[in-house]
């Protein structure tokens, strides 16, 4: 549950342009991405509970899951572990099913992270990763810390730390990242 | 019946088993989309007085599926048995004909571009990974895997794995290992090949 507030606080601090009470609290809490992330945190808490306690919570989760999927178009598997500061900007057609995700992951619309046709293994993602709109990360892939996956790229091989990949299939473009996206992730690292 | 094969193939691909897996398959949005498509194909041949209420029901369900789940499968072409959608969202499919065991991930578009004479023809055992676009006069062979986010504007030969924008062939054998090809029954018309082989009546006769 503490992680949920970390998620929301990161969105409030870094992704709100005009720092006003209305923008910071009401707008951020009503965004589709925030709703989906809060629902994922609830579902993940359910899976961590002991068995007799969690059954009613899991029932509520199972009933609400199709509604949240309908409303937001975002599916996040509740059985995976995602670190704090998880932000989803926009909604629709997002599918996240990972082995492990680090802190401060940023995700846009149309992102698919999960199993592919050729391999049944799931990807794992490091800290401070930014995934652009429409990017697909498929199969047994490890994405390093501070990496940026550019929009509409397809990652089927490992990505080292601190680099920018783009294209179909993903090609390493630069190793020195001065991007704004990663800078914005920094305050929570300290 | 086609729908039974769809359910079996869907459970096989998503690695579900038993009654629990069957229920979760039956109540998933993607299965409803496939079921509505099969229903629409089924009622196409009905005589006029029966067809009107059936078609009204079909269009209502089709519109609901389209608006709620974002899956639009048009009735134009036949899709063979074992048609699986793995997770819905942003799917649009209209093709001349699609073979058996067709697997689709979210974000796939199969359709035409402006000025093309006909729609894509897709063979058996084809998998389209998330974000693939297949557009225009394209023949895709049997046992093909198209990797994510690629754009198919040219023909793809049998047993290949393709990736890129536009696509390039990366391998010519590995897709067979993933899904072993099933021998085709003799009574089925060939799905792949030039359109001249299949006259218009043949396309309509199926299903």
């Amino acid at each position: 549950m503490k992680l949920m507030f970390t998620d929301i606080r990161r969105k409030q601090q870094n992704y709100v342009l005009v720092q006003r009470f209305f923008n910071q609290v009401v707008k951020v809490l009503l965004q589709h991405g925030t709703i989906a992330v809060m629902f994922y945190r609830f579902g993940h808490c359910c899976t961590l509970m002991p068995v007799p306690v969690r059954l009613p919570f899991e029932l509520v989760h199972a009933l609400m899951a199709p509604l949240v999927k309908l409303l937001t178009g975002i599916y996040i598997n509740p059985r995976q572990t995602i670190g704090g500061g998880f932000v989803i900007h926009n909604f629709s057609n997002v599918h996240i099913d990972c082995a492990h995700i680090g802190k401060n992951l940023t995700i846009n619309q149309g992102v698919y992270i999960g199993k592919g046709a050729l391999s049944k293994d799931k990807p794992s993602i490091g800290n401070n990763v930014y995934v652009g709109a429409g990017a697909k990360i498929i199969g047994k892939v490890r994405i390093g810390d501070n990496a940026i996956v550019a929009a509409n790229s397809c990652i089927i091989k490992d990505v080292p730390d601190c680099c920018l990949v783009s294209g179909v299939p993903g090609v390493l473009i630069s190793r020195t990242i001065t991007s704004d996206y990663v800078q914005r992730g920094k305050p929570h690292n300290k | 019946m086609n729908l039974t094969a769809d359910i079996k193939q869907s459970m096989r691909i998503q690695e579900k088993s038993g009654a629990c897996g069957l229920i979760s398959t039956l109540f998933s949005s993607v299965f409803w989309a496939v079921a509505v498509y099969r229903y629409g194909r089924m009622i196409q041949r009905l005589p006029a007085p029966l067809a009107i209420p059936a078609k009204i029901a079909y269009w209502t369900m089709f519109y609901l599926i389209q608006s709620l789940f974002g899956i639009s499968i048009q009735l134009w072409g036949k899709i063979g048995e074992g048609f699986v959608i793995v997770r819905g969202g942003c799917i649009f499919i209209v093709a001349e004909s699609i073979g058996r065991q067709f697997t689709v991930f979210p974000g796939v578009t199969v359709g035409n571009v402006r000025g093309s004479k006909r729609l894509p023809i897709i063979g058996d055992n084809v998998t389209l990974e998330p974000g693939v676009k297949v557009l225009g006069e394209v023949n895709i062979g049997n046992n093909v895997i198209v990797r994510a986010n690629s754009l198919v504007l040219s023909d793809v030969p049998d047993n290949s794995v393709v990736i890129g924008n536009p696509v390039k062939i990366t391998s010519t054998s590995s897709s067979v290992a993933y899904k072993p090809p099933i021998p085709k029954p003799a009574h089925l018309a060939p799905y792949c090949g030039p359109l001249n082989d299949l006259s218009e009546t043949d396309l309509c006769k199926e299903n």
Side-chain angles (χ1 to χ4, degrees), chain B residues 170-183:
Chain B
T170 54
S171 139
T172 51
S173 60
S174 55
S175 70
V176 184
Y178 166 62
K179 280 197 295 188
I182 289 174

Side-chain angles (χ1 to χ4, degrees), chain A residues 106-166:
Chain A
T106 314
I107 274 189
N108 279 277
Q109 73 273 20
V111 168
Y112 182 98
I113 302 172
K115 291 184 261 189
L118 281 173
S119 68
K120 296 292 177 192
D121 299 312
K122 296 174 183 176
S124 65
I125 294 179
N127 299 330
N128 298 329
V129 175
Y130 175 85
V131 183
K136 314 283 192 264
I137 300 169
I138 282 173
K140 193 176 184 182
V141 171
R142 195 197 163 273
I143 293 188
D145 298 348
N146 305 325
I148 289 182
V149 178
N152 226 34
S153 52
C154 164
I155 309 299
I156 52 174
K157 281 179 187 165
D158 286 9
V159 175
D161 291 357
C162 300
C163 68
L164 167 63
V165 282
S166 154

Side-chain angles (χ1 to χ4, degrees), chain A residues 69-70 75 92-93 95 97 112 115-120 134-139 151-156 168-170, chain B residues 13-15 68-69 86-90 105-107 127 129-131 145 147-150 161 163-165 174-175 178:
Chain A
K69 179 74 170 61
L70 260 186
Y75 171 80
S92 182
N93 203 8
H95 176 103
D97 189 4
Y112 182 98
K115 291 184 261 189
L118 281 173
S119 68
K120 296 292 177 192
K136 314 283 192 264
I137 300 169
I138 282 173
N152 226 34
S153 52
C154 164
I155 309 299
I156 52 174
V168 184
Chain B
I13 285 200
Q14 301 191 0
E15 292 170 346
L68 293 180
F69 308 134
V86 188
R87 301 271 164 212
C90 297
F105 282 79
T127 299
E129 282 199 335
I145 291 180
R147 300 311 301 268
N149 266 351
S150 38
V161 179
I163 190 168
N165 185 0
S174 55
S175 70
Y178 166 62

Side-chain angles (χ1 to χ4, degrees), chain B residues 181-193:
Chain B
I182 289 174
K184 195 185 284 183
H187 67 273
L188 284 177
Y191 295 110
C192 230

Side-chain angles (χ1 to χ4, degrees), chain A residues 77 79-81 96-101 113-114 122-125:
Chain A
N77 190 352
R79 293 182 194 283
Q80 64 193 337
T81 52
I96 301 164
D97 189 4
C98 256
H100 172 77
I101 294 181
I113 302 172
K122 296 174 183 176
S124 65
I125 294 179

